[in-house]
């Protein structure tokens, strides 16, 4: 590694330091105190997302309808005393939540009354309340949200691609589910989910900004999270191996201005806690068509793509997909150039200078992700959910070489594991 890269690695490693503790309940608390900042961002997240569909709880098996994790996210804001949003409104905090394929997170940002806001956050997630009537009301609300997803070209591209690449993995299903699937939800199912996946040992509280670890732990103590949690035996069902591509190509129309496309490659799932494999998978798209590559400049200079064209790796338990998406008047030409570049890199190897530039760019992104209080809290939690720390992530990046990328290219991004989705403008 050259001296510039080494200095950047050391700077990154120093910048991402944080304090952490594990409470008797099993909850992990992460804190990045940031002197000079007036804002606090708190992020409370569980390792439970849309792909978690089958599990056993204390010996009883459960199968969840598509959209359960997302539905539960909405319901967590309700209690017998009222809506958590109204409580946050009284403190002046900004709050929200999200559900992804493998996690559900709740968060707030605030400049004062931090202790009260922490109490609201930990209380609403720690004290679920479901009834038949409130579930029925939410089913109508989320039904409207599902229709909004159906109108999103980006989301339709991604879900179409997963349906081509996977036969059984629940990544095929929309995160929000369908109107029919969420209609099957009951209070019993939702309570089973909270007992199984909203256990403190399956969650992390990550805070950053004008706050200390002691302050965060004190809030956990007020919520009873300093005491051992009730024991539950939880076993998520394993995912079946995916050995065949369901469909090579999918085309449909939508009201878009220009054709949209997605090219995806189904890869072997990345083992939990393997930071090196995670980072290597993230590096590959950047080395193929990232902003520093000759291919990106060619595509952009010739007007074949717009600035939103990009590649990314989506990795969840039991599935890993490298995806390239964009908008183009000639999408198949772009895809042909992409595949030709992958074949060239597999034959000739990645340029060492480009590898160093992209690696340094990733160090820079890691630094940027801890400079803002919201990004810092969520980056700390994201690493924990993946089974490692940010420091271990930096160290893993430091050990990667161009040869590691070349070796990966020999086994990844194979055309026999690829699928293509295209959206054409209606009419």
């Amino acid at each position: 590694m050259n001296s510039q890269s080494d200095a950047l690695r050391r700077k990154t490693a120093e910048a991402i330091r944080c304090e952490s503790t594990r409470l008797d309940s099993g909850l992990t608390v992460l804190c990045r105190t940031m002197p000079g900042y007036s804002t606090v961002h708190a992020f409370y997240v569980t390792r439970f997302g849309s792909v978690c569909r089958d599990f056993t709880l204390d010996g009883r098996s459960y199968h969840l309808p598509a959209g359960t994790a997302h539905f539960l996210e909405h319901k967590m804001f309700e209690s017998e005393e009222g809506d958590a949003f109204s409580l946050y409104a009284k403190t002046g905090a900004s709050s929200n939540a999200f559900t992804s394929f493998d996690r559900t997170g709740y968060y707030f940002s605030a400049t004062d009354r931090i202790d009260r806001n922490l109490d609201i956050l930990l209380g609403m997630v720690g004290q679920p309340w479901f009834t038949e009537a409130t579930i029925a009301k939410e089913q109508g609300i989320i039904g409207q949200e599902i229709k909004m997803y159906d109108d999103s070209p980006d989301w339709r591209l991604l879900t179409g691609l997963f349906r081509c690449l996977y036969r059984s993995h629940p990544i095929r299903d929309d995160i929000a589910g369908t109107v029919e699937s969420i209609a099957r939800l009951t209070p019993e199912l939702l309570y089973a989910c909270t007992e199984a996946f909203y256990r403190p040992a399956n969650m992390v509280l990550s805070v950053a900004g004008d706050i200390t670890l002691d302050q965060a732990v004190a809030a956990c103590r007020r919520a009873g999270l300093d005491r051992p949690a009730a024991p539950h035996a939880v076993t998520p069902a394993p995912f079946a191996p995916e050995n065949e591509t369901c469909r090579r190509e999918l085309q449909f129309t939508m009201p878009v201005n220009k054709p949209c496309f997605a090219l995806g490659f189904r890869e072997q799932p990345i083992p939990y806690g393997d930071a090196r494999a995670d980072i290597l998978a993230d590096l590959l798209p950047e080395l193929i068509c990232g902003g520093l590559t000759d291919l990106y400049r060619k595509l952009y200079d010739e007007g074949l793509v717009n600035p939103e064209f990009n590649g990314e790796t989506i990795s969840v338990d039991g599935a890993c997909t490298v995806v390239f998406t964009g908008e183009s008047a000639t999408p198949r030409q772009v895809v042909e150039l992409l595949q030709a570049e992958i074949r060239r890199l597999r034959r000739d190897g990645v340029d060492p200078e480009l590898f160093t530039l992209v690696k340094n760019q990733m160090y820079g992104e890691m630094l940027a992700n801890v400079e803002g209080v919201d990004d810092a809290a969520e980056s700390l939690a994201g690493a924990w959910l993946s089974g490692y720390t940010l420091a271990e992530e930096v160290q893993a990046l430091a050990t990667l070489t161009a040869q590691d990328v070349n070796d990966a290219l020999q086994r990844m991004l194979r055309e026999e594991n690829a699928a293509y989705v295209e959206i054409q403008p209606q009419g």
Side-chain angles (χ1 to χ4, degrees):
M1 182 181 294
N2 61 41
S3 58
Q4 182 181 10
S5 297
D6 194 43
L8 187 54
R9 180 191 64 80
R10 289 195 301 269
K11 182 180 179 182
T12 307
E14 180 63 30
I16 62 175
R17 293 185 183 278
C18 77
E19 296 180 279
S20 66
T21 189
R22 183 178 171 87
L23 305 180
D24 288 344
S25 64
L27 177 69
T28 296
V29 184
L30 308 174
C31 178
R32 177 169 167 78
T33 302
M34 303 171 70
Y37 286 79
S38 60
T39 303
V40 170
H41 189 79
F43 187 51
Y44 197 27
V45 60
T46 176
R47 193 183 289 115
F48 176 56
S50 67
V51 302
C52 304
R53 300 274 296 280
D54 295 276
F55 63 96
T56 60
L57 171 64
D58 298 332
R60 180 176 176 182
S61 296
Y62 291 87
H63 173 71
L64 302 178
T68 300
H70 174 258
F71 193 95
L72 188 57
E73 170 220 314
H74 280 238
K75 296 302 300 171
M76 280 299 194
F77 281 90
E78 292 184 0
S79 71
E80 291 185 86
E81 286 71 38
D83 188 284
F85 282 119
S86 63
L87 299 177
Y88 280 124
K90 295 177 182 178
T91 68
S94 172
S95 67
N96 214 327
F98 72 87
T99 304
S100 68
F101 293 115
D102 60 357
R103 63 197 63 178
T104 306
Y106 306 83
Y107 56 90
F108 73 79
S109 292
T111 55
D112 60 5
R113 303 188 67 181
I114 304 305
D115 290 344
R116 174 57 181 150
N117 286 312
L118 283 169
D119 291 343
I120 296 171
L121 177 67
L122 298 175
M124 77 178 207
V125 177
Q127 299 170 3
W129 178 67
F130 315 119
T131 68
E132 295 281 359
T134 59
I135 287 175
K137 177 183 175 183
E138 199 67 39
Q139 285 165 338
I141 295 171
I142 294 180
Q144 296 300 314
E145 186 174 339
I146 290 170
K147 293 177 182 177
M148 291 173 58
Y149 278 110
D150 289 341
D151 292 334
S152 168
D154 292 340
W155 190 245
R156 292 284 301 278
L157 276 175
L158 201 58
T159 54
L161 193 62
F162 289 143
R163 285 193 168 271
C164 288
L165 290 172
Y166 294 93
R167 286 183 177 274
S168 61
H169 194 285
I171 200 171
R172 288 169 47 91
D173 297 325
D174 196 300
I175 288 174
T178 65
V179 172
E180 293 76 20
S181 68
I182 63 173
R184 300 199 299 272
L185 289 170
T186 64
E188 179 192 20
L189 270 179
L190 295 182
Y191 279 120
C193 289
T194 59
E195 290 182 2
F197 299 105
Y198 280 71
R199 295 171 293 119
N202 197 52
M203 302 186 71
V204 60
L205 172 65
S206 179
V207 297
D210 184 20
I211 190 171
T212 65
L213 179 63
D214 288 343
Q215 189 176 358
V217 170
C220 294
R221 190 175 296 116
R222 292 193 299 274
L225 291 167
D226 59 329
R227 300 187 294 271
H232 286 291
V234 181
T235 306
F239 296 104
E242 298 275 358
N243 299 316
E244 296 181 18
T245 299
C246 286
R247 186 171 179 176
R248 295 291 178 188
E249 187 171 312
L250 173 65
Q251 291 187 54
F252 54 94
T253 63
M254 283 186 70
V256 295
N257 295 323
K258 188 181 289 188
C260 306
F261 70 91
L263 174 68
F265 297 85
R266 190 190 65 238
E267 308 295 346
Q268 288 299 309
I270 297 175
Y272 173 74
D274 192 338
R276 209 164 181 273
D278 274 334
I279 294 172
L280 181 59
D282 288 336
L283 274 173
L284 278 178
E286 288 297 320
L287 290 165
I288 294 166
C289 65
L292 298 174
T293 64
D294 290 339
L295 177 60
Y296 179 86
R297 286 192 291 272
K298 172 183 174 62
L299 293 172
Y300 185 71
D301 291 346
E302 295 181 9
L304 297 176
V305 298
N306 59 22
E308 281 68 46
F309 168 71
N310 76 313
E312 64 175 325
T313 298
I314 300 172
S315 176
V316 300
D317 191 14
C320 178
T321 312
V322 181
V323 182
F324 301 92
T325 58
E327 183 182 272
S328 174
T330 56
R332 291 184 184 275
Q333 182 182 0
V334 175
V335 168
E336 288 171 3
L337 291 169
L338 264 172
Q339 292 176 320
E341 177 66 0
I342 293 169
R343 290 192 294 268
R344 185 192 70 80
L345 290 171
R346 185 175 291 127
R347 181 185 68 246
D348 301 338
V350 66
D351 176 60
E353 183 178 351
L354 174 63
F355 172 78
T356 300
L357 288 172
V358 170
K359 190 171 177 178
N360 288 346
Q361 176 181 268
M362 188 168 281
Y363 281 128
E365 290 170 354
M366 289 178 173
L367 278 170
N369 284 341
V370 293
E371 288 180 349
V373 293
D374 50 350
D375 288 338
E378 295 184 19
S379 292
L380 290 169
W384 183 88
L385 290 166
S386 298
Y388 42 79
T389 66
L390 283 184
E392 290 168 335
E393 194 172 342
V394 172
Q395 184 57 36
L397 177 60
T399 65
L400 287 176
T401 66
Q403 187 57 50
D404 292 322
V405 175
N406 292 335
D407 292 342
L409 283 166
Q410 299 306 311
R411 62 180 185 273
M412 296 178 68
L413 304 173
R414 310 302 302 192
E415 292 184 19
E416 60 267 27
N417 296 325
Y420 173 73
V421 179
E422 182 179 299
I423 303 176
Q424 283 287 339
Q426 285 181 348

